[in-house]
């Protein structure tokens, strides 16, 4: 019941006693509100129950309540209800925003000063709904949805919750490694470059990444003609490095099995598309044949290529 | 048994091809007249005799040269060292 002023000798009715008892126990009949509301003096000692689908406010003004007065405020509706300072102050250690099924007590320390004791700390409804969700805050408690796999939580003041999920910064780190081998002998008796069939494909996670290409072209040889083996590294159809121009050269008509020719090349493909690195070979003079993965007495030689994506 | 590369060097000494592995299907005749699969297969049977001829001819040439110079093979090797 609303705050009463009793007089000497007044006889209280059973209804008054019941209402007073309910109020003393923190209950009592509620005054239902369905829209934003400005508290009045008669609300002292009562329960104001907001029930609206949209956001509402309950405004607190000075000159209506005395020190020690209380108003119990509950929100039954889906819309948040905000206890708002009008001409009186409203202090709180919690939140002045009541989500659905939250409540609190407005306690006046003076006619123009109040404290709102929010019950949210006693257990409000969690905004979390999904595995991996985080508890965040904007102007009220809110859900930070779980991000995509392999992303990390990053502070970003432009986001409503101040956080976002983003790909990890990979500066200087090896982000992925691709490896391939090829062990079938190939011969080329022309001066036109031919594929060695040693190749590997990488899809960089960022256009700023570099790709470190490690090649070990094995079984490199030349035939019994005065020639030599030249080799080049390709990105797609583009030559990025001729890493050998005279492997096996003897200055004579002798078969020469060089063995391994290697190269390390740091490339900047500037793409996030699948990118294929390969090697090609050719003879460097007008006669003879050159070989890669040459077949030896104990089997073919195996060439290897390794691609490392290096974060910018 | 001869290898693909040896047979191709015998059959197409001027070159002009690219090959992969040890099969006829792996041969690309880019700057030369193609040979047939039969010619290629027969080449394996002929290779050993052809190689022996080549080696014998080379040995004869070397011996004739050493004889003309009047030095032994070891002396020739010493000259080149």
């Amino acid at each position: 019941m609303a705050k009463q002023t009793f007089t000497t000798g007044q006889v209280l009715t059973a209804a008054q006693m019941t209402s007073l008892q309910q109020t003393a126990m923190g209950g009592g009949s509620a005054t239902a509100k369905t829209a934003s509301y400005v508290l009045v003096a008669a609300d002292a000692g009562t329960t104001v129950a907001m029930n609206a689908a949209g956001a509402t406010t309950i405004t607190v003004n000075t000159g209506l309540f005395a020190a020690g007065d209380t108003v119990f405020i509950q929100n039954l509706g889906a819309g948040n209800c905000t206890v708002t300072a009008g001409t009186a102050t409203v202090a709180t250690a919690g939140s002045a925003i009541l989500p659905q099924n939250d409540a609190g007590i407005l306690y006046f320390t003076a006619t123009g000063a109040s404290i709102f004791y929010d019950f949210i700390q006693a257990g409000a409804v969690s905004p979390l709904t999904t595995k991996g969700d985080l508890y965040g805050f904007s102007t009220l408690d809110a859900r930070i949805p779980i991000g995509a796999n392999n992303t990390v939580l990053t502070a970003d003041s432009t986001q409503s919750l101040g956080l976002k999920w983003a790909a990890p910064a990979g500066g200087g780190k090896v982000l992925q490694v691709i490896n391939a081998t090829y062990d079938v002998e190939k011969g080329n008796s022309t001066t036109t470059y031919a594929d060695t069939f040693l190749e590997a494909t990488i899809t960089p996670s960022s256009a700023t990444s570099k790709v470190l290409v490690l090649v070990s072209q094995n079984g490199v040889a030349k035939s019994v003609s005065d020639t030599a083996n030249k080799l080049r590294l390709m990105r797609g159809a583009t030559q990025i490095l001729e890493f050998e121009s005279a492997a096996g050269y003897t200055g004579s008509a002798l078969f020469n099995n060089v063995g391994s020719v290697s190269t390390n090349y740091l490339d900047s493909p500037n793409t996030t598309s699948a990118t294929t690195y390969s090697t090609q070979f050719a003879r460097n003079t007008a006669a003879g044949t050159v070989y890669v993965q040459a077949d030896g007495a104990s089997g073919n030689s195996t060439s290897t290529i390794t691609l490392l994506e290096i974060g910018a | 048994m001869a290898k693909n590369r040896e047979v191709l060097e015998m059959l197409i000494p001027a070159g002009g091809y690219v090959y992969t592995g040890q099969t006829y299907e792996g041969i690309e005749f880019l700057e030369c007249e193609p040979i047939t699969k039969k010619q290629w297969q027969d080449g394996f049977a002929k290779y050993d005799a052809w190689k022996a001829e080549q080696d014998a001819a080379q040995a004869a040439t070397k011996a004739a040269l050493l004889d003309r110079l009047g030095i032994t093979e070891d002396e020739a090797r010493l000259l080149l060292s």
Side-chain angles (χ1 to χ4, degrees), chain A residues 182 184-190 192 194 197 223 289 291 295, chain B residues 3 5 9 14-22 28 30-31:
Chain A
Y182 191 70
V184 177
E185 178 177 303
K186 286 216 62 171
N188 186 355
S189 64
T190 77
T192 303
F197 289 167
S223 69
T289 307
Y291 313 98
D295 189 1
Chain B
K3 297 182 188 305
R5 65 171 179 246
E9 283 168 9
Y17 54 84
V18 172
Y19 73 87
T20 303
Q22 304 297 324
E28 298 173 77
L30 301 176
E31 300 168 7

Side-chain angles (χ1 to χ4, degrees), chain B residues 1-80:
Chain B
M1 184 177 175
K3 297 182 188 305
N4 189 21
R5 65 171 179 246
E6 295 168 327
V7 170
L8 287 172
E9 283 168 9
M10 176 185 73
L11 297 175
I12 316 174
Y17 54 84
V18 172
Y19 73 87
T20 303
Q22 304 297 324
T23 64
Y24 177 79
E25 289 71 23
I27 305 169
E28 298 173 77
F29 301 99
L30 301 176
E31 300 168 7
C32 59
E33 282 296 315
I35 59 172
T36 66
K37 188 168 187 176
K38 175 81 166 47
Q39 288 174 307
W40 179 75
Q41 288 170 329
D42 290 346
F44 285 88
K46 294 175 183 171
Y47 178 78
D48 287 344
W50 176 83
K51 185 70 167 60
E53 275 180 32
Q54 296 286 307
D55 291 346
Q58 188 178 20
T61 303
K62 187 191 293 181
L65 181 59
L66 290 173
D67 190 49
R68 207 171 74 197
L69 293 172
I71 58 175
T72 66
E73 189 169 348
D74 286 342
E75 288 168 335
R77 197 170 287 127
L78 185 62
L79 279 175
L80 295 172

Side-chain angles (χ1 to χ4, degrees), chain A residues 29-49:
Chain A
S29 58
T31 305
K33 306 295 179 190
T34 57
S36 293
Y37 176 68
V38 179
L39 291 177
V40 298
D43 292 322
T46 69
T47 297
V48 174

